[in-house]
Amino acid sequence: MKVAKLVYLKEDTYENYLKKQKKSHFLQSYSWGELSKQKKNLTPYYLGLIDEKKNILGTALLLQKKLPMNYCYFYCPRGYVIDYENEELVKEMTKEIIKFAKSKKAIFVKIDPDLIYKDYNYLEEEQKPPYDINRIFNLLKKLGYKHQGFTKNFETMQPRYTFRIDLNQSIEDIENHFSKTTKQRITKAKKLNTYVEIGTEKDIKEFYHLMTLTETRKDFVSYTEDYYSTLYDIFNGSENGKATLFLGKVDMDRTIKTLKDNLKQVNNQISILPIDNLSKSAKNKLNELTKQKDNYTKEIKKFEEYKKQYGNNLTLSAHMIIEYADKAWVLYAGNHNILTETYVNYYTYEEHIKYCKEKGIKVYDQFGTIGDLSKDNPRYGLHEFKKKFGGDYIEFLGEFDYVTNKLMYFIFKKLVPIYRNIIRKKSKKAIENEVKKNN
């Protein structure tokens, strides 16, 4: 190919190119780079590969993590934004990126391209990726990238597995792919008159509270309230993406009124039955109505108790959706420990799927699941929940490291897992203390 070189790109030039690319991703956006700088102690570099006419051939967001003795490493989230089927282009991008990395004393460069390795639709039928993934895989290895393995859980920087819904389908087709139990639970949430609304910055505190409850329950740790607040501000403070909060709520008075109205209707139906001369079908009808009456009576009593304990208005689910270009990701989802029988979480998911569809979003990504589907996997329940919404089950190609300093890379690979485990334990303890403080 003709002479190409790597250059720094201004925000508007970088974003104007990136948003038009099929493989654009919020993790490559200028906004994510700025968040990484402010809250992750990383230095972002917005780079473009250009030809002699200054045409952009590809871009890369490189996040620099500084290490002792002036060493560093670079992480390029979701890989370079290039045509991976163009072998010469991949070679040129690699050559320029590695030259840049060496100039910064980097010991390696990590990429995890948004390239589909395997794809199964909601019927679990395998679908062929739109490119020769084996050829790309072999090309990267030939160029010197070390594949980090076909991991099955959340060992990598970003999830290797996810569920994606193609929003080019009609909303009817999308919802028809929901599992039977999902449809039933959404119906129940609606019958209980729960509701979903879009939140604002003032709701970050409530969102964070639900995240801490979820993290303690699921045994993982995430971020501080300030992190979520900063993310929300950055993505909503520019044109480089958008963060939207969806809040699934219950209004006890409204739910109790709905249940009482239902009870009244059942009592009215019972009152018109000829009790003294019931046919077989009428007896069956009476038995069914009596069961409904008992159920509504119990539900009313239960929600009246909930109101005494928790007040009238309660947020049960809080989800943060990131929109970028023509795609959206369910980045974070927090849920309360109580009132799970209302299934507000399911209803909240349905509402932001509809929202994305109505906005013209093309791809809806649930951002993370597992590949190890053994039932004793602690993340198995998460997988089964996300599966119920009928998206394609996607496996990405995985992480690749291009090593530029073998000795330091060896030391890094040995020491970092120990360090991260220490940090994780400290973070988990902090989250547990936060939950105790707020309960």
Side-chain angles (χ1 to χ4, degrees):
M1 70 182 302
K2 294 179 180 179
V3 177
K5 65 177 181 178
L6 203 63
V7 298
Y8 297 100
L9 295 179
K10 293 181 179 179
E11 179 179 354
D12 57 346
T13 305
Y14 179 86
E15 282 291 329
N16 288 339
Y17 176 85
L18 182 59
K19 286 178 183 175
K20 295 174 185 175
Q21 305 310 304
K22 190 174 182 180
K23 285 293 179 185
S24 62
H25 199 290
F26 83 93
L27 289 172
Q28 302 154 341
S29 70
Y30 197 91
S31 291
W32 188 258
E34 293 307 292
L35 176 72
S36 299
K37 179 169 66 176
Q38 292 188 36
K39 306 309 297 182
K40 295 174 180 281
N41 197 29
L42 302 173
T43 303
Y45 293 89
Y46 308 95
L47 305 174
L49 187 70
I50 62 170
D51 62 18
E52 72 279 3
K53 295 182 180 179
K54 297 187 178 179
N55 296 313
I56 298 176
L57 306 173
T59 59
L61 168 60
L62 289 188
L63 300 175
Q64 182 188 41
K65 176 63 176 179
K66 294 180 180 178
L67 302 171
M69 297 186 294
N70 290 323
Y71 288 108
C72 71
Y73 71 84
F74 284 104
Y75 171 47
C76 184
R78 285 308 183 217
Y80 317 130
V81 185
I82 56 172
D83 177 5
Y84 284 89
E85 294 185 280
N86 185 329
E87 186 170 334
E88 288 303 311
L89 182 57
V90 178
K91 285 180 181 178
E92 198 65 26
M93 177 66 94
T94 298
K95 184 185 80 174
E96 292 295 311
I97 289 287
I98 299 309
K99 184 166 69 175
F100 176 84
K102 287 180 176 179
S103 75
K104 301 292 184 182
K105 207 177 175 183
I107 63 176
F108 70 95
V109 175
K110 181 184 291 292
I111 65 171
D112 51 4
D114 188 356
L115 292 170
I116 296 172
Y117 182 58
K118 290 184 179 178
D119 178 358
Y120 297 89
N121 66 16
Y122 76 104
L123 296 173
E124 300 186 2
E125 300 166 335
E126 188 168 0
Q127 303 179 121
K128 191 175 180 181
Y131 32 72
D132 187 341
I133 193 61
N134 291 318
R135 179 172 170 269
I136 295 171
F137 180 69
N138 291 329
L139 170 63
L140 291 172
K141 289 203 297 182
K142 185 175 77 172
L143 291 176
Y145 294 91
K146 292 178 53 132
H147 189 240
Q148 299 304 293
F150 293 102
T151 55
K152 296 293 184 181
N153 292 293
F154 290 100
E155 304 96 332
T156 49
M157 300 288 278
Q158 306 301 335
R160 269 202 71 237
Y161 296 83
T162 193
F163 283 102
R164 282 181 172 173
I165 297 175
D166 177 6
L167 296 187
N168 290 304
Q169 306 170 83
S170 69
I171 194 65
E172 291 77 19
D173 285 342
I174 291 168
E175 292 184 339
N176 282 339
H177 296 166
F178 290 179
S179 72
K180 182 179 178 181
T181 54
T182 296
K183 294 174 186 175
Q184 291 171 341
R185 288 169 178 179
I186 292 170
T187 298
K188 181 172 181 181
K190 292 176 180 177
K191 283 183 176 178
L192 288 172
N193 217 345
T194 63
Y195 63 103
V196 180
E197 65 180 20
I198 292 178
T200 64
E201 190 172 10
K202 68 179 176 59
D203 296 301
I204 292 289
K205 184 175 286 296
E206 183 67 25
F207 165 77
Y208 173 67
H209 174 59
L210 294 186
M211 286 299 297
T212 61
L213 293 178
T214 302
E215 288 162 4
T216 303
R217 189 169 64 247
K218 300 296 184 182
D219 190 31
F220 71 95
V221 294
S222 192
Y223 303 104
T224 64
E225 181 181 341
D226 184 60
Y227 169 87
Y228 294 116
S229 180
T230 303
L231 184 156
Y232 187 88
D233 288 344
I234 287 176
F235 272 89
N236 292 321
S238 72
E239 296 180 356
N240 305 325
K242 186 178 183 220
T244 305
L245 277 178
F246 286 82
L247 308 174
K249 297 190 170 190
V250 60
D251 179 313
M252 302 296 183
D253 284 342
R254 195 161 87 171
T255 297
I256 291 167
K257 182 180 184 304
T258 298
L259 291 169
K260 285 182 175 179
D261 288 345
N262 292 340
L263 178 60
K264 184 177 179 181
Q265 289 178 18
V266 169
N267 283 330
N268 288 339
Q269 291 180 62
I270 292 174
S271 69
I272 62 175
L273 288 174
I275 303 297
D276 295 331
N277 187 24
L278 288 176
S279 64
K280 185 177 179 180
S281 62
K283 286 180 181 178
N284 291 337
K285 179 69 172 175
L286 177 60
N287 287 336
E288 177 60 31
L289 289 171
T290 302
K291 287 179 183 177
Q292 290 182 28
K293 177 180 177 179
D294 291 343
N295 183 57
Y296 285 132
T297 301
K298 289 176 184 176
E299 289 278 286
I300 291 167
K301 183 178 180 182
K302 181 174 67 176
F303 277 93
E304 286 175 340
E305 289 299 317
Y306 281 141
K307 181 181 176 182
K308 288 178 185 177
Q309 189 171 357
Y310 300 110
N312 189 53
N313 293 293
L314 192 63
T315 301
L316 299 177
S317 289
H319 302 173
M320 185 179 287
I321 311 299
I322 298 294
E323 303 164 50
Y324 185 77
D326 60 353
K327 307 172 189 72
W329 292 261
V330 188
L331 190 54
Y332 303 114
N335 299 291
H336 216 301
N337 297 330
I338 60 170
L339 285 167
T340 55
E341 69 271 28
T342 61
Y343 300 114
V344 171
N345 190 25
Y346 287 81
Y347 186 18
T348 306
Y349 263 91
E350 184 196 43
E351 286 298 291
H352 47 68
I353 289 171
K354 285 182 177 178
Y355 166 91
C356 291
K357 171 69 179 172
E358 289 167 3
K359 286 199 71 175
I361 299 293
K362 304 300 183 187
V363 178
Y364 172 93
D365 191 317
Q366 289 181 279
F367 204 68
T369 185
I370 53 174
D372 170 16
L373 301 183
S374 53
K375 293 189 177 180
D376 59 349
N377 188 326
R379 301 282 189 255
Y380 183 74
L382 170 72
H383 176 85
E384 287 299 293
F385 172 78
K386 292 185 176 183
K387 180 181 178 181
K388 289 181 186 343
F389 290 90
D392 284 6
Y393 180 40
I394 303 290
E395 178 183 358
F396 295 111
L397 194 54
E399 289 184 351
F400 295 82
D401 288 357
Y402 193 108
V403 180
T404 54
N405 185 320
K406 290 183 180 179
L407 176 61
M408 293 305 299
Y409 181 76
F410 174 80
I411 295 171
F412 177 86
K413 294 286 277 188
K414 291 292 183 184
L415 295 181
V416 164
I418 299 171
Y419 171 76
R420 285 179 176 166
N421 190 45
I422 294 170
I423 294 300
R424 184 185 182 281
K425 286 179 179 178
K426 287 183 178 179
S427 299
K428 184 180 177 184
K429 189 68 178 175
I431 291 291
E432 289 172 347
N433 291 337
E434 186 76 22
V435 172
K436 288 176 184 176
K437 185 176 72 176
N438 291 323
N439 284 339

